[in-house]
Amino acid sequence: MDLQIYGFLLTFLFLSFTTINVATLQEKVPPQINSNSVLVALLDSHYTELSELVEKALLLQTLEEAVSTHNITILAPTNEALERDLDPEFKRFLLEPGNLKSLQNLLLYHMIPARIESGNLQHQKQQKRGSGMYSTLCHGENQYLHVLQRFKMVTKPDDIIKSDGIIHGIDRVMIPKTVQMDFNVRRNLRSISAVLPEGAPEVDPRTNKLKNKKYASVPAGAPPALPIYAAMAPGPSLAPAPAPGPGGPHHHFDGETQVKDFIQTLLQYGGYNELADILVNLTSLATEMGRLVSEGYVLTVLAPNDEAMAKLTTDQLSEPGAPEQIMYYHLIPEYQTEESMYNSVRRFGKVKYDTLRLPHKVIAEEADGSVKFGFGETSGYLFDPDIYTDGRISVQGIDGVLFPVEEIKVAPKAAPVVAKVVARPRRGKLMEVACSMLGSFCH
């Protein structure tokens, strides 16, 4: 009897574990989307701008899970509406890596987990039934949407009809209040506000200390008193350790987060993986840049793309400290944008910018309607302007790796050789002189 009970318990436990494992495997299997799905139809439709934003917002998996469980209704803004309602500054805010949640909320606000056809809404409006409020896929304060009011914006009702959803075309972008508030806070630059430049105090070059004691304490948000070169790490070396800046531990800016954001922007932008690898893995420049920005300094990065970095030879990178020196020459201790640099070269012709590689400067001039840096074979054009601009760090993509002008030692010109002309003695000259002397005596 005991053996029968023991065998029954073992069988029960085995079946229980098998059921749990099967359920776990079923949960891990991603939902399969039919080729006739409304999500596939959206990606292949004429709503190209909306499809591109959905892919950049990493919402494909979320929408696949929603479509696999219930029907969805998409109020899809047309390409013209997205171009008109999303100004460049707001669109740049949405596409920044740190604002991915805002972009997702904006897109999910246009999607309703229910099947709403235009005929049903018209009938509901005539019968005056229901409140017209529907829950959207956007969670939080903007979860509900008044569809009856928003249906006035529909220009293409029942544009795409599928078994698992429907798409209505609208001529306006619906922006949730929370997304608008996040944009306003970022636009005001409350957390990383740029400061106006002020005259630098006088520094004693022998002690590298301030001569006037009133500049010893720097107020919050003010530019650092010492030049940026005083806060840089000692170098060059293979991996220079970042030195603390003049502000000490009182950091008024989150430089490490800003540097991380701009490196993530380079990776998502595409074409700048080599530069990001050098900043993070090959050197410790990313850490040093974060320290400098935390101390209040501003930086403009001239970022060579992958095609330009591929042209570097092994000899140029094999010397100790070579990667750091190359990158230092692409860091300008100023905050410059594409507009400010282009206006400068248009007005002044050639402009010299200081770099973190002392004492070399990078030369910029106008060429072919753009900004050209450097000269000759080592020049580069402003290829991808304003990849990242946040008030403290500006990243400008260029299509070449820049090198400073090396002092070329010209061999001194040899003095012209003066040929010695030796007078040849004339034959019979002595006899002629003797005869003339005898003749004078005889007379």
Side-chain angles (χ1 to χ4, degrees):
M1 187 66 181
D2 294 338
L3 292 176
Q4 292 179 355
I5 295 175
Y6 183 71
F8 175 74
L9 289 175
L10 287 178
T11 306
F12 178 75
L13 291 175
F14 175 75
L15 292 176
S16 301
F17 282 119
T18 306
T19 306
I20 293 173
N21 291 334
V22 170
T24 306
L25 291 175
Q26 289 178 353
E27 290 179 357
K28 292 182 179 180
V29 174
Q32 297 295 328
I33 299 300
N34 189 4
S35 59
N36 198 29
S37 172
V38 67
L39 182 57
V40 178
L42 173 64
L43 298 178
D44 295 338
S45 66
H46 53 274
Y47 300 103
T48 55
E49 293 290 335
L50 179 62
S51 302
E52 184 179 354
L53 290 178
V54 168
E55 293 179 357
K56 290 183 178 179
L58 307 178
L59 286 177
L60 292 179
Q61 184 177 357
T62 303
L63 296 179
E64 287 176 0
E65 295 175 355
V67 170
S68 63
T69 55
H70 46 66
N71 277 226
I72 65 171
T73 299
I74 301 176
L75 301 178
T78 60
N79 294 341
E80 294 78 9
L82 287 170
E83 289 290 337
R84 182 186 66 248
D85 295 344
L86 297 183
D87 59 276
E89 186 179 1
F90 184 64
K91 190 173 183 180
R92 191 182 305 117
F93 161 78
L94 292 175
L95 296 180
E96 289 180 359
N99 304 322
L100 181 63
K101 195 66 177 178
S102 299
L103 178 59
Q104 291 177 346
N105 289 335
L106 175 67
L107 297 176
L108 293 177
Y109 191 62
H110 294 75
M111 302 175 186
I112 304 170
R115 187 180 185 87
I116 305 175
E117 298 182 0
S118 59
N120 297 339
L121 280 177
Q122 293 294 342
H123 180 71
Q124 185 178 357
K125 187 176 182 181
Q126 292 174 2
Q127 298 294 329
K128 297 182 179 180
R129 295 179 180 177
S131 60
M133 298 293 292
Y134 286 88
S135 174
T136 65
L137 294 177
C138 175
H139 300 289
E141 299 179 3
N142 304 301
Q143 184 177 1
Y144 296 97
L145 180 67
H146 200 298
V147 178
L148 289 178
Q149 293 181 356
R150 300 294 184 179
F151 204 78
K152 300 176 182 179
M153 300 184 298
V154 175
T155 57
K156 297 180 180 180
D158 302 337
D159 190 16
I160 299 176
I161 301 177
K162 297 295 180 180
S163 60
D164 57 354
I166 189 169
I167 298 177
H168 304 290
I170 60 176
D171 62 349
R172 191 174 301 174
V173 180
M174 301 180 295
I175 302 176
K177 291 183 180 180
T178 54
V179 177
Q180 187 67 47
M181 291 175 60
D182 292 342
F183 171 65
N184 292 337
V185 171
R186 185 63 181 267
R187 183 170 53 182
N188 293 336
L189 296 176
R190 293 176 183 174
S191 58
I192 51 170
S193 58
V195 293
L196 294 175
E198 298 179 0
E202 193 174 358
V203 180
D204 189 351
R206 296 172 300 175
T207 61
N208 201 24
K209 294 182 180 180
L210 299 174
K211 289 185 177 181
N212 199 335
K213 293 184 179 180
K214 70 177 182 178
Y215 294 109
S217 60
V218 180
L226 292 176
I228 190 172
Y229 308 103
M232 288 176 57
S237 62
L238 284 177
H250 306 290
H251 294 173
H252 307 305
F253 304 98
D254 190 2
E256 295 181 0
T257 301
Q258 291 175 247
V259 171
K260 188 183 298 182
D261 282 348
F262 104 75
I263 291 177
Q264 289 180 352
T265 304
L266 285 179
L267 295 176
Q268 292 192 1
Y269 193 90
Y272 294 90
N273 297 331
E274 296 294 333
L275 176 64
D277 183 62
I278 289 180
L279 292 177
V280 177
N281 299 325
L282 190 58
T283 66
S284 61
L285 289 179
T287 306
E288 184 174 0
M289 291 171 63
R291 291 289 185 92
L292 294 176
V293 174
S294 297
E295 295 296 340
Y297 298 101
V298 293
L299 293 171
T300 297
V301 183
L302 301 179
N305 55 21
D306 289 344
E307 295 182 5
M309 297 294 289
K311 297 178 182 178
L312 291 175
T313 61
T314 307
D315 295 337
Q316 292 174 325
L317 295 172
S318 60
E319 297 182 5
E324 287 86 354
Q325 293 301 319
I326 293 176
M327 289 297 103
Y328 279 143
Y329 190 63
H330 292 75
L331 299 179
I332 299 175
E334 304 175 21
Y335 186 80
Q336 296 288 341
T337 61
E338 184 264 344
E339 182 180 2
S340 63
M341 288 191 291
Y342 184 72
N343 290 338
S344 298
V345 296
R346 280 288 302 272
R347 182 177 180 182
F348 301 108
K350 288 188 177 182
V351 180
K352 293 183 178 180
Y353 293 104
D354 291 329
T355 66
L356 295 189
R357 183 176 178 180
L358 287 175
H360 301 289
K361 301 177 182 292
V362 62
I363 301 175
E365 59 182 338
E366 182 190 6
D368 301 330
S370 180
V371 182
K372 177 184 176 183
F373 300 95
F375 59 94
E377 297 180 355
T378 60
S379 62
Y381 286 83
L382 188 57
F383 192 69
D384 292 320
D386 296 339
I387 297 178
Y388 181 86
T389 52
D390 65 356
R392 309 297 304 176
I393 300 176
S394 172
V395 182
Q396 308 294 327
I398 59 177
D399 61 353
V401 180
L402 308 178
F403 289 93
V405 183
E406 299 293 341
E407 297 181 359
I408 303 175
K409 296 182 179 180
V410 181
K413 293 184 178 179
V417 179
V418 180
K420 262 188 177 181
V421 179
V422 180
R424 295 181 179 179
R426 293 168 57 186
R427 292 183 178 180
K429 185 67 176 176
L430 184 59
M431 184 64 69
E432 184 181 350
V433 172
C435 292
S436 61
M437 291 178 65
L438 287 175
S440 61
F441 283 117
C442 291
H443 291 294

